């Protein structure tokens, strides 16, 4: 069955694909799609995922390099760097009452150095999400309602889990899904449809998608899968201490909060439940794609993040 989504053709392969392991069982649906949008990639088993490309792998027609927003003390609206026009609702769900749960592959990443006076990444991510929740930097997503209703003003930090996994040189997305399912099966995490599970990997551990490796082709992504009938939403955060995901004057911790802001808001406004998307524009770009790597700014608390695209302002908003 083929389905045309604007200029992007997505064809569904009618396979009941089940992955099993110590983690339990979860089902996946396979998609195939031409790689015409730099913010889309595919997993090793064929699913489409929404990635944040490295700054060097994309070029805006307006700006050639990443930029910081000027500090004005008032709301600023910038033209979108990518895509075409406002976002439109494609009848999918949003995450209405989202919560964020951080998962650290091991203590190497959890205990790595933070910025802004935080002793480590674990403490900084906790405080970042707590400040992000309920702020104008997050509540801007409330304008995007879905088939299942509206979005609440907060995304509470629901907790974190520091694992003791051995570092690897590389991990594929199918292994990440199996890893999450294993945490559910072992009752280390509770599977919730309204949770976003952010998985943070240590330095030197690359994530592989069909289009390439983290740090060379992307700096993070969000996706979903079904576990025991529950739509699981997750975001993947490789450690950004590489040249491809580094920006002058910003620490690893700063880069992580920038990428986290991108993936959190996109997962909430376009989670892809049951393989039905919600908000994207006429060229297939999600809300944060349209503002990626340009007009970066420091929100309350000093955390670096990127702007969100607003239909109401027809541009990328720095509150």
């Amino acid at each position: 069955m083929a389905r045309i989504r604007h200029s992007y053709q997505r064809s569904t392969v009618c396979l009941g694909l089940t992955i099993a392991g110590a983690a339990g069982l979860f089902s996946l649906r396979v998609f195939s799609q031409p790689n015409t949008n730099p913010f889309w990639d595919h997993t090793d088993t064929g699913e489409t995922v929404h990635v944040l490309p490295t700054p060097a792998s994309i070029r805006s027609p307006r700006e050639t390099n990443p930029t910081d927003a000027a500090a004005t003390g008032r709301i600023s609206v910038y033209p979108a760097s990518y895509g075409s026009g406002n976002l439109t609702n494609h009848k999918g769900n949003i995450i209405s009452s989202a919560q964020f749960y951080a998962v650290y592959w091991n203590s190497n990443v959890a205990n790595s150095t933070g910025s802004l006076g935080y002793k480590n990444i674990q403490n900084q991510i906790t405080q970042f999400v707590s400040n992000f929740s309920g702020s104008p930097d997050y509540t801007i997503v409330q304008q995007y309602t879905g088939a299942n209703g509206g979005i609440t003003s907060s995304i509470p930090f629901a907790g974190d889990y520091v694992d003791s996994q051995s570092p690897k040189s590389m991990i594929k997305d199918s292994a990440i899904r199996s890893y999450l399912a294993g945490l559910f099966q072992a009752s280390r995490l509770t599977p919730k449809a309204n949770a976003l599970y952010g998985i943070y990997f240590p330095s030197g551990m690359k994530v592989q998608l069909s289009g390439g490796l983290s740090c060379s082709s992307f700096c993070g992504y969000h996706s979903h899968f079904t576990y025991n009938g529950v739509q699981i939403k997750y975001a993947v955060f490789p450690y950004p201490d590489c040249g491809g995901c580094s920006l002058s004057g910003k620490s690893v911790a700063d880069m992580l909060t920038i990428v986290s802001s991108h993936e959190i808001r996109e997962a909430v406004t376009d989670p892809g439940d049951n393989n039905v998307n919600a908000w994207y524009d006429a060229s297939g770009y999600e809300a944060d794609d349209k503002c990626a790597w340009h007009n970066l700014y420091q929100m309350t608390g000093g955390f670096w993040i990127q702007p969100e695209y607003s239909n109401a302002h027809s541009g990328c908003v720095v509150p």
Side-chain angles (χ1 to χ4, degrees):
M1 178 181 69
R3 185 174 63 188
I4 304 296
R5 193 167 89 169
H6 298 287
S7 61
Y8 298 89
Q9 182 170 350
R10 176 188 265 179
S11 57
T12 305
V13 180
C14 296
L15 294 177
L17 180 64
T18 302
I19 293 179
L25 301 176
F26 56 92
S27 62
L28 305 173
R29 183 166 296 188
V30 179
F31 293 97
S32 62
Q33 174 183 302
N35 188 22
T36 50
N37 185 327
F39 291 85
W40 288 3
D41 205 328
H42 295 85
T43 71
D44 53 303
T45 48
E47 296 81 20
T48 300
V49 293
H50 299 269
V51 304
L52 173 58
T54 62
S57 63
I58 50 174
R59 283 290 181 267
S60 166
R62 295 185 177 87
E63 303 98 351
T64 56
N65 295 303
T67 58
D68 292 348
T72 65
R74 62 181 185 275
I75 292 176
S76 299
V77 181
Y78 298 89
S81 298
Y82 306 96
S84 177
N86 277 352
L87 306 174
T88 54
N89 186 351
H90 294 82
K91 310 306 180 184
N93 289 340
I94 45 79
I95 307 179
S96 58
S97 54
Q99 54 183 250
F100 186 82
Y101 202 102
V103 179
Y104 300 94
W105 185 256
N106 57 30
S107 59
N108 290 342
V109 57
N111 293 330
S112 58
T113 304
S115 63
L116 305 173
Y118 294 97
K119 70 176 183 178
N120 58 33
I121 293 293
Q122 182 182 8
N123 290 344
Q124 184 153 344
I125 293 298
T126 299
Q127 194 58 53
F128 158 67
V129 177
S130 298
N131 281 33
F132 196 48
S133 176
S135 72
D137 314 280
Y138 179 73
T139 58
I140 189 172
V141 301
Q142 289 190 281
Q143 66 188 278
Y144 302 118
T145 59
N148 57 332
I151 299 172
T152 60
S153 62
S154 63
I155 179 167
F157 184 79
D160 53 21
Y161 176 71
V162 181
D163 211 336
S164 56
Q165 296 288 320
S166 299
K168 299 180 178 181
S169 60
M170 188 272 293
I171 187 170
K172 296 181 179 181
D173 183 75
S174 59
I176 295 174
R177 296 183 184 201
S178 293
Y179 167 67
L180 259 183
L183 295 179
F184 298 144
Q185 185 72 21
S187 299
R188 293 186 175 94
L189 295 179
T190 301
K192 296 180 179 180
N194 68 325
L196 176 62
Y197 302 92
I199 309 168
Y200 294 86
F201 290 96
S203 177
M205 190 168 169
K206 299 294 180 66
V207 179
Q208 184 180 44
L209 295 174
S210 64
L213 295 173
S214 59
C215 286
S216 58
S217 63
F218 64 91
C219 300
Y221 64 89
H222 73 93
S223 190
H224 69 282
F225 66 92
T226 301
Y227 174 82
N228 287 349
V230 179
Q231 293 285 300
I232 301 299
K233 274 73 75 173
Y234 66 101
V236 172
F237 302 109
Y239 200 76
D241 60 345
C242 52
C245 296
S246 299
L247 294 177
S248 177
K250 293 178 177 60
S251 69
V252 166
D254 296 332
M255 296 302 295
L256 278 176
T257 55
I258 291 170
V259 180
S260 294
S261 71
H262 180 108
E263 301 303 341
I264 287 172
R265 289 183 301 212
E266 283 194 344
V268 169
T269 56
D270 191 25
D273 276 0
N274 300 303
N275 301 310
V276 179
N277 289 91
W279 289 93
Y280 57 86
D281 73 8
S283 298
Y285 289 77
E286 294 179 310
D288 284 74
D289 295 341
K290 295 171 72 66
C291 309
W293 298 124
H294 296 295
N295 304 301
L296 307 175
Y297 69 98
Q298 287 181 285
M299 59 170 283
T300 300
F303 302 102
W304 280 97
I305 64 171
Q306 70 153 79
E308 168 82 348
Y309 186 83
S310 167
N311 277 0
H313 294 85
S314 296
C316 300
V317 175
V318 175

